[in-house]
Amino acid sequence: MKKWFSENSAFVALLALVIIATLLKGEMFFNQRNLTNIFLNNSIIGIIALGMTLIIITGGIDLAVGSQLAASGLLSITVLNATGSIIASFIATTVFGIVSGGFTGVLISKCNIPPFIVTLGTMSIYRSVSQHFFTGGGVKVMGDSKDAFIAISNTKIGGQISMIIVYWIVLGIVMAILASKTTLGRHIYAVGSNEKATRLAGINVDLVKIKTYAISGVLVAFASIIEAARLGSMNSASSGSSYEMDAIAAVVIGGTSMSGGKGKIIGTILGTLTLGVINNMMNLLGVPTFLVSAIKGAIIIGAVLLQSTLNRDK
């Protein structure tokens, strides 16, 4: 029973919260519009959390994803406004994601700097440089391509399902296949399980880490384009703020071990939805805004404590 609970804790937690929220708020919670909004409002975090899952499985962490999203989004809109080309904007933002993520991976793997220190530094760099170039403000989508760019995120299938949700689901499937069915995916788990043994097996651990952070960088770039298209603007000071905390919380709630070597993409998706239901419940119950982050922090600690307890009892 403990083994089943350990393997399905994310699903059990989500189901329990949905039942509790339904009992407390009834149709105010359990209706199509509200449930769709939960998916929509957490899709950006969900996309970022997909890359964070791979990073944490390797035994790493990335605190810079929120600031990186802001920088990527500002770059995306700036290139779009300058060229009028959505393709040029997409390419520039994707390249930035690969380079920034890969650079983080190089610092961690080749320079042997702890991931926490590297990403704490890059978090400050991305935010500070963005605020410098945009004088603490932001940029809006303008020009002839504005409507087409905005449509990337604001188009709805059947007038109900936002394309943002579709992007999240598709990317989730791709990342699940990468993690479970590819050589790189197996190497990612191996590095997190036992890095020394993986090196002795002849696997290029440094390259695995660089690729993992680069993949995460691409996902953050995609998320930034979707966010920029949804809002029609990005702000150097506030865009992406605290996204790293939400992404890490979603991954941990989804059952990925902070010590590395264990985790599933489907768990992260369920963890993201669990976090979304919690946020929605706090909003419906009128929980003070300033307490939301405190509750999220307690949830992260509780999830890690539960993981530790279950692993110790095995």
Side-chain angles (χ1 to χ4, degrees), residues 79-281:
V79 173
L80 177 71
N81 290 344
T83 65
S85 170
I86 294 176
I87 295 176
S89 173
F90 182 84
I91 292 173
T93 308
T94 303
V95 170
F96 176 76
I98 295 171
V99 172
S100 58
F103 179 67
T104 298
V106 168
L107 289 176
I108 291 168
S109 60
K110 298 296 185 181
C111 301
N112 294 316
I113 307 174
F116 180 88
I117 300 300
V118 171
T119 58
L120 185 64
T122 53
M123 175 178 69
S124 298
I125 291 170
Y126 294 139
R127 185 67 68 182
S128 179
V129 172
S130 296
Q131 289 180 310
H132 170 73
F133 281 107
F134 292 89
T135 60
V139 61
K140 293 182 178 180
V141 179
M142 298 182 292
D144 296 336
S145 300
K146 177 180 179 179
D147 291 342
F149 186 76
I150 297 297
I152 291 174
S153 294
N154 292 284
T155 301
K156 292 185 177 181
I157 299 176
Q160 297 291 330
I161 307 299
S162 170
M163 283 302 298
I164 298 177
I165 299 174
V166 176
Y167 300 145
W168 180 27
I169 293 172
V170 171
L171 288 172
I173 293 171
V174 172
M175 287 301 105
I177 293 172
L178 184 150
S180 62
K181 303 294 184 181
T182 68
T183 299
L184 176 60
R186 290 189 289 273
H187 289 175
I188 287 172
Y189 281 97
V191 169
S193 297
N194 192 322
E195 183 173 328
K196 185 176 180 180
T198 304
R199 287 187 187 278
L200 293 174
I203 295 172
N204 191 333
V205 172
D206 292 348
L207 185 59
V208 171
K209 289 183 179 181
I210 293 170
K211 286 181 178 180
T212 302
Y213 279 91
I215 290 169
S216 178
V218 171
L219 289 170
V220 172
F222 289 169
S224 73
I225 293 172
I226 295 168
E227 177 108 313
R230 182 186 182 188
L231 301 176
S233 65
M234 292 293 282
N235 187 280
S236 62
S238 60
S239 292
S241 179
S242 297
Y243 279 22
E244 62 279 349
M245 181 178 177
D246 288 342
I248 293 170
V251 174
V252 173
I253 292 170
T256 297
S257 173
M258 290 297 291
S259 59
K262 178 185 175 184
K264 293 182 178 180
I265 293 296
I266 184 61
T268 293
I269 293 173
L270 293 174
T272 304
L273 291 174
T274 299
L275 195 62
V277 171
I278 291 171
N279 287 331
N280 189 257
M281 283 178 61

Side-chain angles (χ1 to χ4, degrees), residues 8-26:
N8 298 278
S9 58
F11 173 74
V12 173
L14 177 59
L15 181 62
L17 281 171
V18 169
I19 293 173
I20 292 171
T22 303
L23 291 175
L24 289 175
K25 303 304 294 186

